[in-house]
């Protein structure tokens, strides 16, 4: 929790410094420090107690003092001073497509725009196009981008929301007056976009719990809605709703707080009043509740899909894949391209997860922005992998994330044929016509050396939309060519979506769940990819990285 608030404030300082026009060295220092603190595996408060902050490379005495101040007070003087010069709401303008620091300063100084709402108002009135350097077309593009950002305001992707929810859960569990706590709602259902964090707690002192919450630096406001609900606002924008209940009603409250509104309504329609009144105090978990109402257990991920109720009544639910079924991760990056860790460090982290195998799939030569590997560098990487395979208790497969270019793949077939894993992906030409983008993807799927199509639609959650593709045609071609479709577990992607997974599964596709990790911590995102698979009705046998290593090699050799 401390790491999150320090990182958030450092991000704000960095952006306000950009708007102010401060020297680049100072901006980079805050940017690096923010990333370092966010990625720490230990609470920064522990480092403060041990006087070890400056042992972190990139954290000098000045930054260390700011970190201490933030942990103690929830803010720091450097941030407060900047906030007096420039409204922190200006930072939101930097997310607008086509708007950089110079335009933000122009908007603020010339017509007083200080947030997304006022930017929209001025764009609608035509005031922007009266400014130098901005014409009607640019104004319209800005307005479209602002509308999108406003529709996503105070929403987080699943990874950010779940990370905050888990930290809150761990923190609140430490309150002496709290007996039980569970994360429910959209996070438990593994929705890709979260607009509210929902928690159920059992506490013997509701007022004391509220006061304890108010002390959290991430919390900006706490209010009591009624005798059983606390509402809190966070400095990340997203709200928190906490349902309070007694020990005897805990699992009942978890049960009804997990499903969507429509889902719960349909459940109530099949539960008579007499049974519903008895769903109290005798249940040790949700499985017992489902058994009591005459249904097999329905996993939380399916409790917004009304079909699951009908299939439950017919005892026709899937035997859903579980995280423990995953035997390896076949899409991650290392320092050879744009990853943060060495191959050995990634391998050791995979070993700790109990994986039998992994694959390093660094970017290829065309993606220069990601330090893509030339064929010679790729072969040098193979030598390192061969040496590691002699010493580590995990099989490292040699792979590459090969760019799908306009008319070819980024490596020739003679190189592709020597790889254990070939992942093909689009990293350019996102706005190609449907005919062109489909032609590129079809070309990749038809290549006999390509095993996996990575993040197949190219969408970014709360960001870029999907390519203009014919999804069903893509799936049929993948099935025809025995190409595996990736469920990219990065919360920024979750590509394929669960709806697409369900459709592709019905058509007969095979899947793999990969993290696309660029650092060790991102390997933990596998849980979100598994969540997508579960929402998409997949079972263990539908996903190839549930195979043992020998089975996997045999499958890939087909």
């Amino acid at each position: 929790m401390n790491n999150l608030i320090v990182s958030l404030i450092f991000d704000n300082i960095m952006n306000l410094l950009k708007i102010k026009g401060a020297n680049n060295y100072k901006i980079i220092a805050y940017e690096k420090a923010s990333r370092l603190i966010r990625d720490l595996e230990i609470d920064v408060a522990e480092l403060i107690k041990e006087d070890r902050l400056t042992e972190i490379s990139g954290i000098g005495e000045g930054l260390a003092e700011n970190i201490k101040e933030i942990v103690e007070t929830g803010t720091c003087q450097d941030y407060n001073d900047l906030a007096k010069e420039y409204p922190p709401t200006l930072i939101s303008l930097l997310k607008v497509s086509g708007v950089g620091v110079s335009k933000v300063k122009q908007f603020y100084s010339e017509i007083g725009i200080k947030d997304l709402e006022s930017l929209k108002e001025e764009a609608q009135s035509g005031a922007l196009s009266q400014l130098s350097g901005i014409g009607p077309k640019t104004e319209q593009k800005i307005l479209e981008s602002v509308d999108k950002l406003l529709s996503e305001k105070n929403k987080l992707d699943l990874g950010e929301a779940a990370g905050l929810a888990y930290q809150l859960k761990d923190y609140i569990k430490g309150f002496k007056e709290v007996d039980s706590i569970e994360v429910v709602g959209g996070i438990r259902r593994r929705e890709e976009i979260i607009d509210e964090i929902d928690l159920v707690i059992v506490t013997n002192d509701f007022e004391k719990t509220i006061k304890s919450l108010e002390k959290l630096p991430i919390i900006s406001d706490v209010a009591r809605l009624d005798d059983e609900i606390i509402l809190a606002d966070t400095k990340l924008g997203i709200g928190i709703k906490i349902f309070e209940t007694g020990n005897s009603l805990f699992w009942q409250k978890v049960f009804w707080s997990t499903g969507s509104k429509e889902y719960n309504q349909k459940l109530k329609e099949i539960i008579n009043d007499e049974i519903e009144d008895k769903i109290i105090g005798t249940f040790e978990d949700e499985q017992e509740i489902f058994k009591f109402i005459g249904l097999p257990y329905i996993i939380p991920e399916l409790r917004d899909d009304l079909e699951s109720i009908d299939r439950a009544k017919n005892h026709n639910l899937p035997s859903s894949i579980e995280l423990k079924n995953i035997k390896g991760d076949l899409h991650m990056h290392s320092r050879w391209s744009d990853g943060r860790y060495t191959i050995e460090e990634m391998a050791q982290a995979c070993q700790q997860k109990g994986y039998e195998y992994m694959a390093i799939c660094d970017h290829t030569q065309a993606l220069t922005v990601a330090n893509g590997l030339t064929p010679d560098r790729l072969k040098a990487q193979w030598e390192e992998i061969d040496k590691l395979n002699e010493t580590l208790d995990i099989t490292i497969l040699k792979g590459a994330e090969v760019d799908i270019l306009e008319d070819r793949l980024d490596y020739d077939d003679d190189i592709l044929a020597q790889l254990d894993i070939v992942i093909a992906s689009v990293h350019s030409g996102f706005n190609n016509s449907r005919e062109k983008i489909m032609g590129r993807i079809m070309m990749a799927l038809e290549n006999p050396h390509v095993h996996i199509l990575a993040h197949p639609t190219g969408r970014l959650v709360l960001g870029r939309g999907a390519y203009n593709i014919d999804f069903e045609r893509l799936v049929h071609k993948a099935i025809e060519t025995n190409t595996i479709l990736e469920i990219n577990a990065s919360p920024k992607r979750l590509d394929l979506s669960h709806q697409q997974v369900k459709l592709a599964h019905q058509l007969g596709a095979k899947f793999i769940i990969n993290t696309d990790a660029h650092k060790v911590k991102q390997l933990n995102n596998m849980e979100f990819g598994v969540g997508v698979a579960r929402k998409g009705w997949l079972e263990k046998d539908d996903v190839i990285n549930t195979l043992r290593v020998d089975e996997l090699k045999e499958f890939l050799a087909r």
Side-chain angles (χ1 to χ4, degrees), residues 239-251:
I240 302 168
K241 182 181 285 185
I242 301 177
F243 301 91
E244 190 275 335
T245 189
N247 276 305
S248 64
L249 295 173
F250 178 69
W251 285 110

Side-chain angles (χ1 to χ4, degrees), residues 354-413:
Y355 289 165
E356 293 184 19
Y357 51 84
M358 56 175 281
I360 292 294
C361 292
D362 278 320
H363 292 291
T364 56
Q365 55 194 348
L367 203 63
T368 54
V369 70
N371 192 29
L373 276 64
T374 63
D376 286 344
R377 290 182 64 219
L378 180 70
K379 290 175 182 177
Q381 185 185 78
W382 294 348
E383 294 177 8
E384 180 179 334
I385 290 173
D386 285 337
K387 290 178 183 177
L388 289 171
N389 274 328
E390 292 175 2
T391 59
L392 296 176
D393 189 24
I394 187 171
T395 299
I396 306 174
L397 300 176
K398 299 168 184 173
E401 184 179 7
V402 183
D403 262 37
I404 303 173
L405 304 177
E406 295 294 316
D407 57 355
R408 60 184 173 83
L409 295 181
D410 197 20
Y411 286 154
D412 294 335
D413 282 354

